[in-house]
Amino acid sequence: EEAVVAEEAPIKPAAAEEAAVAEDEAGWIASTSRNNTECKGEVKPTKVFNKYDLLDDVEIKAQTDDDKDEDDEKDDEKDAEADIAGEKSSTVDKHDSSEETKPTSTRFGFGSGFGSFCSSKLLCIFFTFFVLGCTGVALSSYGYMVRPWSLLRAAPLLLVSQSTAHDLNCGASVALDANALGPLDPSWPGAKWLQMVHGTPDRAWKSFFDASMLQLGSLDREGKQLATMSTYACCFNYAAGASVTDGLLVEFGTWAGGSMRCFAAGIQQTGHPNRAIGFDAFKAGFIGSNAAKLRGTRWWDPKKTDSEMKELDLLPIYNFQVQDVYPTVRAQRVNFREHREVDSKLSGTTVDVFITDAAKSAAPLAQDIGAVAPYLRPGSILVFADFFFTNTVDSPPAVNQVLFVFGQLVSSGMLRLLGLTGSYGYFLLMRGVSRDSVSRLMHQWELKAKIGAVCKNATVASIKAMSSLLPETPKRYSDKIIPKLRRACRQ
């Protein structure tokens, strides 16, 4: 079934945007009124033209515990089967329509839910002003344009919840030493990212920041559970958003906007509007068991069948979850592996931060990088959200994205590893690239990956890179990821 929509003009990162939205677009936008908190009447499933056969739109939460139970293993196997089926598709249906959303929500300010974090509102307000002032001073000292007053719109998200603060530890994330790459152009987003992630050495401040990121990455404006699979990555994602300078932040496979919420909150603190765009099919069950990941959120309707939930339109959910922290965020319902459609939305722009939460093996990763290659610049940050996807880490060398990245993209001087957290990998683009150059690198890897020495060198390079990160290689990588990479070369 097809939904026919009008073609939009290309997005310009600095262009003024229309503040009002036509009434006929109201059905695509989730209400943000505080009096309208019921989910079952807010979002209606919308059938979308199915042309996304090549998409792998899944956000997989990293397994940070030492042991993973059998149910998690089964879920990963189902997702992997869906990914493999999608990657084997050689054609996609073509059509020219796409959708773009415009901001309509109000920003989050003091209101309902505020008292749940503090026993005394007066004390809480004083504490909030103090912390936000410190935030402005801290970030400004590292060269970021911060508007502390704008932080007040999201103040309750920054208040520490003692009951949940232990669930997230940004210290479990690891990053390259800020001076490891030598002097970097300070205008590079990657340089700003390194500066920021190493910029909170004080333990008390860091503990507060960790808890703040947990609030941002796990709870919505009313304290309800977000539809997200990557709360653990919010710290580094926020830093990536705060590193945007003159360009855009673009995410492929944005799903319900759980990770985009953290990226966009970072952009908001730079003072730059209209800089974040999420690309997706925006269909809850587009990939296998994804719709079931809405359980426990306001968006799950127990009265609906699994099939009906799979048809749920995620676009209003995306807007609801992201617009309160970054009102000018945008969404594009297009096939991001169709270069023509990507060009229609990004033509004339520059991409400072690119995220793919869709690729889980080498060829789709190269495809996604190639799609945005004309818009990247030296210094851009590339984020691979499923870099350590459980079921593909030990896949054969030719399709193994970890070995492809370290054995080809890093070894060729195109990328450098910046940091890791959970399944996420953060990389710095060292030089400009084109679609043809990325395609050639992928083809070369497919030819040489079967050579034992090449695979071994790629494995050694990946282990060396992971071991160089600070403060130390987490047990997840040393105990699980590295042994799997070594097994990959035996296939």
Side-chain angles (χ1 to χ4, degrees):
E1 295 183 35
E2 299 185 43
V4 180
V5 292
E7 186 72 30
E8 298 274 357
I11 293 175
K12 304 292 183 182
E17 298 297 335
E18 292 293 338
V21 178
E23 293 181 0
D24 61 349
E25 290 180 329
W28 295 105
I29 309 299
S31 170
T32 60
S33 169
R34 293 195 174 280
N35 296 322
N36 185 10
T37 59
E38 295 296 325
C39 65
K40 295 174 186 176
E42 291 179 357
V43 182
K44 297 181 180 179
T46 303
K47 294 183 180 296
V48 182
F49 187 76
N50 183 16
K51 61 171 184 174
Y52 304 92
D53 295 338
L54 291 178
L55 298 180
D56 300 312
D57 181 31
V58 186
E59 292 189 25
I60 301 299
K61 182 175 182 179
Q63 304 297 323
T64 55
D65 296 326
D66 290 338
D67 299 309
K68 184 164 64 172
D69 59 38
E70 293 181 0
D71 290 339
D72 289 337
E73 294 286 358
K74 291 178 181 178
D75 285 342
D76 284 342
E77 289 172 4
K78 290 179 181 178
D79 287 340
E81 290 173 2
D83 295 329
I84 292 170
E87 290 167 13
K88 287 184 178 179
S89 301
S90 59
T91 60
V92 292
D93 295 323
K94 312 265 187 184
H95 91 67
D96 295 331
S97 65
S98 64
E99 296 176 12
E100 176 185 339
T101 62
K102 296 180 181 179
T104 61
S105 67
T106 56
R107 301 187 188 186
F108 183 40
F110 295 116
S112 63
F114 182 81
S116 65
F117 294 98
C118 300
S119 57
S120 165
K121 281 191 177 181
L122 182 60
L123 178 61
C124 202
I125 292 172
F126 173 81
F127 175 70
T128 301
F129 270 80
F130 172 76
V131 167
L132 295 177
C134 291
T135 300
V137 172
L139 293 180
S140 296
S141 67
Y142 288 96
Y144 298 98
M145 181 177 69
V146 180
R147 300 180 180 181
W149 284 99
S150 70
L151 288 170
L152 290 174
R153 298 186 179 94
L157 294 174
L158 295 176
L159 300 177
V160 180
S161 171
Q162 296 299 327
S163 63
T164 55
H166 67 279
D167 293 333
L168 179 70
N169 180 9
C170 290
S173 304
V174 288
L176 191 67
D177 183 273
N179 300 314
L181 298 178
L184 295 175
D185 186 331
S187 69
W188 281 14
K192 292 180 178 292
W193 186 90
L194 279 175
Q195 199 175 45
M196 189 171 185
V197 299
H198 289 297
T200 55
D202 180 78
R203 181 175 297 179
W205 169 255
K206 186 164 179 57
S207 296
F208 169 78
F209 187 75
D210 290 0
S212 301
M213 290 300 100
L214 175 65
Q215 298 289 345
L216 177 65
S218 61
L219 303 176
D220 66 19
R221 68 191 71 170
E222 290 157 358
K224 296 183 182 294
Q225 181 181 332
L226 285 175
T228 183
M229 305 174 214
S230 54
T231 297
Y232 62 89
C234 198
C235 296
F236 276 11
N237 291 350
Y238 180 94
S243 301
V244 167
T245 54
D246 300 323
L248 301 175
L249 180 145
V250 173
E251 182 178 27
F252 285 0
T254 197
W255 203 60
S259 58
M260 176 61 87
R261 179 179 173 85
C262 297
F263 287 115
I267 303 176
Q268 177 69 6
Q269 305 318 316
T270 70
H272 298 311
N274 308 307
R275 297 297 184 86
I277 312 174
F279 288 72
D280 206 280
F282 293 106
K283 183 177 178 181
F286 184 77
I287 295 294
S289 60
N290 262 15
K293 294 180 173 67
L294 292 172
R295 290 182 186 275
T297 72
R298 65 167 73 224
W299 313 106
W300 182 262
D301 188 348
K303 296 180 181 180
K304 292 183 178 179
T305 65
D306 288 346
S307 295
E308 289 174 326
M309 286 304 298
K310 288 180 179 179
E311 295 297 317
L312 182 68
D313 182 15
L314 293 176
L315 190 52
I317 301 176
Y318 171 91
N319 288 327
F320 181 89
Q321 295 195 149
V322 184
Q323 285 184 350
D324 64 310
V325 298
Y326 190 60
T328 58
V329 69
R330 293 183 172 273
Q332 296 292 345
R333 196 196 297 270
V334 300
N335 185 347
F336 49 75
R337 288 184 180 154
E338 287 284 341
H339 291 171
R340 175 179 55 82
E341 296 191 10
V342 172
D343 291 341
S344 71
K345 303 305 175 186
L346 298 182
S347 179
T349 68
T350 299
V351 174
D352 281 350
V353 180
F354 169 66
I355 310 103
T356 173
D357 202 351
K360 296 167 184 63
S361 59
L365 181 63
Q367 209 171 2
D368 290 352
I369 297 173
V372 295
Y375 311 104
L376 298 171
R377 66 180 177 99
S380 291
I381 299 171
L382 275 62
V383 183
F384 307 145
D386 282 326
F387 192 56
F388 294 116
F389 183 58
T390 305
N391 284 354
T392 61
V393 173
D394 57 354
S395 58
V399 298
N400 191 304
Q401 65 177 348
V402 178
L403 296 179
F404 165 60
V405 167
F406 286 107
Q408 188 74 340
L409 303 187
V410 172
S411 66
S412 69
M414 172 181 156
L415 297 180
R416 285 295 301 268
L417 177 65
L418 288 176
L420 302 171
T421 182
S423 66
Y424 277 65
Y426 301 78
F427 292 84
L428 173 67
L429 184 67
M430 300 301 293
R431 64 168 187 262
V433 292
S434 66
R435 285 170 176 161
D436 286 342
S437 66
V438 175
S439 180
R440 283 195 301 270
L441 288 170
M442 181 66 235
H443 180 64
Q444 291 169 5
W445 175 251
E446 289 174 332
L447 295 176
K448 68 182 185 181
K450 297 178 182 179
I451 302 173
V454 171
C455 186
K456 182 178 179 180
N457 289 339
T459 303
V460 171
S462 63
I463 295 173
K464 183 178 179 180
M466 283 186 271
S467 301
S468 69
L469 303 180
L470 301 174
E472 61 181 359
T473 306
K475 287 180 67 63
R476 165 179 168 77
Y477 303 108
S478 60
D479 292 354
K480 293 186 176 182
I481 302 300
I482 291 176
K484 284 190 172 185
L485 286 174
R486 287 178 172 144
R487 286 200 298 271
C489 287
R490 300 177 193 143
Q491 300 183 57

